[in-house]
Amino acid sequence: RRVKSFGMTLVPLDIREESTKHTMALDAITRWLGIGAYSEWDENARLSWLSSELSGKRPLFPPSRLKELGFPDGAVRTLETFQTAASLEPEALGAYVISQCQTASDVLAVMLLQKQFGMTPENGSMMRVVPLFETLDDLTNAPEKLDMLFKIPAYNGAIKGKQEVMVGYSDSAKDAGRLAACWAQYNSQERMVEVSKKYGIELTFFHGKGGTVGRGGNPALYRAILSHPPGTINGRFRV
């Protein structure tokens, strides 16, 4: 009776992987398709191809033949992660976080790889795709990347008016120093909120803050929440 009432899933699982791994996987696929090397394409070419494939219905390759196509081992491991995720119930999965996310195509790439294994917004099994901006340059450029994404019909339709963004704290501090990183995080969040409002998107920030003290059980957490930029919480955030 308990299993029937509550299901088998206790807590949804997030997945996190570097953008370079997805690039490697798509590069193997485009070479196999005979249309060039994805890793060598510029951003406009990547966005054009990804948008086209997201709007289409055909798979990029037969999923059942994944290990027979001669893909590099690293690409196979990345694709097997998506294949395994697709075999789980949607309730078992949460966000797919993209480390070192630098471009709009890094986000579309994860959407397309999910689609390849049947994880789509139409059937309710697509994990929400969460870019992680974690260097000074990435935080500075993040609002522009969101603006590019929200202009793409296939993307805007898939997210159904909601977007989650992860803000990197430790890596940005290592990259730029604590003071410069704090200002970049603050300014970037304000600008991302402005972009989201322009497109009518509900934006949730996922704050990548340190260890157990940063996540709860400490009065400093309350002060940290109060220090977030105005208009960036609105009753929801993740830590």
Side-chain angles (χ1 to χ4, degrees):
R1 186 165 61 234
R2 291 175 182 173
V3 171
K4 185 175 181 180
S5 299
F6 302 108
M8 295 291 290
T9 302
L10 182 62
V11 178
L13 176 70
D14 285 357
I15 296 176
R16 179 168 166 175
E17 185 58 276
E18 270 197 25
S19 60
T20 53
K21 302 293 186 180
H22 310 131
T23 299
M24 181 190 303
L26 288 173
D27 187 74
I29 292 170
T30 57
R31 288 176 187 270
W32 180 77
L33 290 171
I35 58 175
Y38 179 85
S39 61
E40 298 175 3
W41 296 352
D42 62 23
E43 179 67 0
N44 287 335
R46 290 184 182 188
L47 287 175
S48 176
W49 182 73
L50 291 166
S51 299
S52 174
E53 292 298 330
L54 282 168
S55 300
K57 295 183 178 180
R58 65 178 182 180
L60 298 171
F61 62 87
S64 60
R65 295 182 54 205
L66 173 57
K67 293 185 178 180
E68 304 170 13
L69 303 178
F71 293 163
D73 291 343
V76 171
R77 283 194 295 272
T78 299
L79 293 168
E80 283 179 332
T81 298
F82 287 93
Q83 192 172 48
T84 300
S87 69
L88 303 175
E89 293 296 323
E91 293 81 8
L93 300 170
Y96 193 110
V97 180
I98 309 168
S99 297
Q100 297 297 328
C101 185
Q102 299 178 332
T103 63
S105 63
D106 287 338
V107 178
L108 294 188
V110 171
M111 282 188 63
L112 182 58
L113 290 172
Q114 288 194 72
K115 177 177 176 287
Q116 165 63 25
F117 293 98
M119 302 170 71
T120 67
E122 289 77 18
N123 62 27
S125 63
M126 187 185 82
M127 298 178 71
R128 60 187 190 276
V129 183
V130 179
L132 166 53
F133 301 112
E134 51 188 331
T135 68
L136 182 62
D137 285 345
D138 294 342
L139 286 165
T140 301
N141 296 328
E144 175 190 349
K145 304 312 174 188
L146 285 188
D147 190 82
M148 292 177 66
L149 283 168
F150 296 157
K151 287 178 180 176
I152 299 171
Y155 184 80
N156 213 329
I159 62 174
K160 299 179 180 178
K162 295 184 179 182
Q163 176 67 55
E164 185 176 322
V165 171
M166 188 170 182
V167 178
Y169 285 75
S170 59
D171 281 3
S172 61
K174 294 172 190 173
D175 179 47
R178 184 174 294 275
L179 181 60
C182 285
W183 173 243
Q185 294 153 10
Y186 193 99
N187 188 46
S188 180
Q189 288 176 69
E190 283 192 318
R191 293 168 56 215
M192 282 191 275
V193 166
E194 291 175 3
V195 171
S196 299
K197 285 182 177 178
K198 183 171 73 171
Y199 292 94
I201 304 295
E202 181 183 286
L203 183 62
T204 300
F205 285 110
F206 182 0
H207 299 278
K209 290 175 181 261
T212 53
V213 173
R215 293 191 180 108
N218 188 309
L221 179 62
Y222 176 67
R223 294 194 294 273
I225 294 170
L226 292 180
S227 71
H228 288 168
T232 60
I233 294 183
N234 299 319
R236 62 189 180 274
F237 71 101
R238 295 186 71 198
V239 179

